[in-house]
Amino acid sequence: MPDHTDHRAAGAAPDPAPSVPAVPAAPGPAADARAFRTLLRGLRVWDGELPTFAAERAPAEPLPLFRQWLREAAEAGVPEPHTMSLATADAAGDPSVRIVMLHDADEHGWHFGTHRDSRKGRELAARPRAALAFYWPAVGRQVRVHGTVTAAGPKESAADLHHRSTGALAAALVGRQSQVLGSAEELARAADAAWERARREPDAPVPTWTLYVLRADEVEFFQGDQHRRQHVRLNYRRSADSWARELLWP
């Protein structure tokens, strides 16, 4: 039990009246770090029921399964299921990653576009290999793809761009991707001019725009299990002109 005995000496002056509590100081770095860790540990993952994946019934090649999974992600309400992480490396081997859009997936590979003078374009010119990652949390699925990247020719690249939206053309017309920007006002002026031209010239040329195609060496499909017991990982490895399939430990 707490000791409430008054230990003041006889005749000592009484304690001064209690003061108003001071306003606590703003949280410091340590408190911010604790709050951030608490936030991370409290976030939920895969709260609902997830689909099952019978790997033994998977097709002999990865493309049909990839198309099926992307369609099912869209049907499950995953926003922008066609977005993907694209990882490249420069000549020194330093990696970089960013989010881009998938333009197609066919027998030639996984298609995406960018300016060839952008950072990723320069890195692909130096090291023409890349990795892709798709994540669809609503169904607990991810797909990883890596392989060799080739650049399409000017005609095919232009067709890819002009089959897309006016906004995509306007963004491409702005150009100068990854270069240092002087000010937000400079970007606003360039964007307005690009939008006007895109509306006026739907076939406006963008010489630096390039379509890239990743020919996969490996494609891995991951199906999560909400109970964290039996995640399924099925890996496809290209072997000559066919694919070998193998299960991986989670």
Side-chain angles (χ1 to χ4, degrees):
M1 176 178 291
D3 183 358
H4 297 292
T5 305
D6 189 346
H7 294 287
R8 288 175 298 174
D15 291 331
S19 59
V20 177
V23 176
D32 287 343
R34 287 194 298 271
F36 183 68
R37 286 192 294 270
T38 299
L39 170 66
L40 289 178
R41 292 165 185 162
L43 294 174
R44 303 293 299 167
V45 178
W46 302 337
D47 253 348
E49 288 293 317
L50 298 180
T52 58
F53 174 38
E56 67 277 7
R57 296 203 295 271
E61 298 184 355
L63 181 61
L65 183 58
F66 174 80
R67 287 173 168 172
Q68 175 190 336
W69 275 26
L70 193 147
R71 182 177 62 254
E72 290 174 354
E75 293 169 350
V78 175
E80 301 177 1
H82 60 317
T83 57
M84 59 188 183
S85 299
L86 166 66
T88 56
D90 64 15
D94 291 330
S96 61
V97 65
R98 74 288 286 165
I99 306 297
V100 299
M101 277 188 204
L102 177 71
H103 291 189
D104 199 359
D106 59 18
E107 65 276 7
H108 302 295
W110 278 252
H111 301 225
F112 60 93
T114 190
H115 294 277
R116 63 172 174 268
D117 57 353
S118 67
R119 178 174 179 176
K120 50 188 172 295
R122 296 193 305 270
E123 290 178 348
L124 287 169
R127 288 177 175 255
R129 291 186 62 79
L132 311 174
F134 297 82
Y135 178 51
W136 303 308
V139 287
R141 288 173 172 172
Q142 63 175 306
V143 179
R144 301 167 62 212
V145 187
H146 69 83
T148 302
V149 179
T150 57
K155 184 175 181 180
E156 192 174 358
S157 295
D160 169 75
L161 177 60
H162 294 124
H163 283 146
R164 301 178 67 209
S165 67
T166 302
L169 175 59
L173 285 167
V174 171
R176 290 174 279 184
Q177 193 176 69
S178 306
Q179 298 179 23
V180 175
L181 174 65
S183 67
E185 292 75 19
E186 183 182 358
L187 173 59
R189 289 192 298 270
D192 288 345
W195 268 96
E196 289 179 10
R197 186 179 179 194
R199 293 191 183 103
R200 188 175 64 250
E201 297 180 57
D203 295 326
V206 185
T208 58
W209 183 261
T210 304
L211 176 67
Y212 292 92
V213 182
L214 186 152
R215 183 178 186 271
D217 297 324
E218 290 193 42
V219 184
E220 181 197 320
F221 294 83
F222 172 97
Q223 173 64 69
D225 173 67
Q226 64 263 37
H227 305 295
R228 310 295 199 279
R229 293 175 181 169
Q230 294 184 351
H231 304 315
V232 179
R233 293 177 64 187
L234 176 64
N235 191 52
Y236 288 81
R237 284 187 299 105
R238 190 184 294 275
S239 175
D241 293 326
S242 61
W243 291 92
R245 296 185 304 171
E246 55 200 2
L247 291 173
L248 303 178
W249 282 87

